[in-house]
Amino acid sequence: MAGKGLEGDRQFFADGAGAGEALTLIEAEALEDVGLTGPESRRQVVTRGVRLNDLVGKRFRVGQVECVGTELCEPCLHLQQLTRPRIIKDLIHRGGLRADILSGGTISVGDLLDIES
């Protein structure tokens, strides 16, 4: 939902998400490198073949949902406590992307991530 996040998600903000709180994404390649699954990463969307760091400040679409990348989603101590020691070091600058949702819609497994030019 635009400006709020993924309906039903633990990070859904009914009163409005702050900048970068609506959606988090992470690269499958980074997860494979460090031996984590998508759910273990605590990110909402796992991508493949897209350099998410390059999307800071850019508009893109996942399925029907239009987004804008706001900042890198660096790994945190909470993630390390839930997974394993040194995960912060292993994922630094590869922990994903925080994004705002500009227009609502549906995101489904297998949807493409399209970068707007």
Side-chain angles (χ1 to χ4, degrees):
M1 295 183 74
K4 297 182 178 186
L6 299 180
E7 190 173 13
D9 188 76
R10 66 180 177 78
Q11 291 292 342
F12 180 77
F13 298 90
D15 294 331
E21 292 181 333
L23 187 67
T24 57
L25 305 92
I26 192 165
E27 298 171 14
E29 296 85 351
L31 294 175
E32 292 165 357
D33 285 348
V34 300
L36 289 183
T37 66
E40 287 172 331
S41 75
R42 300 180 56 79
R43 305 297 184 254
Q44 297 155 319
V45 174
V46 177
T47 66
R48 182 172 295 282
V50 177
R51 293 212 15 94
L52 295 175
N53 288 13
D54 295 343
L55 297 182
V56 173
K58 297 208 168 100
R59 287 180 180 240
F60 59 94
R61 191 173 287 279
V62 180
Q64 300 172 344
V65 179
E66 184 182 5
C67 305
V68 63
T70 59
E71 64 183 321
L72 298 184
C73 189
E74 296 290 7
C76 63
L77 186 57
H78 184 65
L79 176 65
Q80 185 164 284
Q81 291 169 337
L82 292 173
T83 57
R84 63 175 172 77
R86 300 183 48 84
I87 196 68
I88 292 174
K89 183 176 184 221
D90 292 344
L91 280 178
I92 196 76
H93 306 312
R94 300 186 319 148
L97 177 72
R98 292 182 174 278
D100 291 337
I101 296 175
L102 303 176
S103 66
T106 302
I107 297 174
S108 300
V109 173
D111 279 347
L112 296 178
L113 188 151
D114 294 314
I115 302 167
E116 296 184 10
S117 49

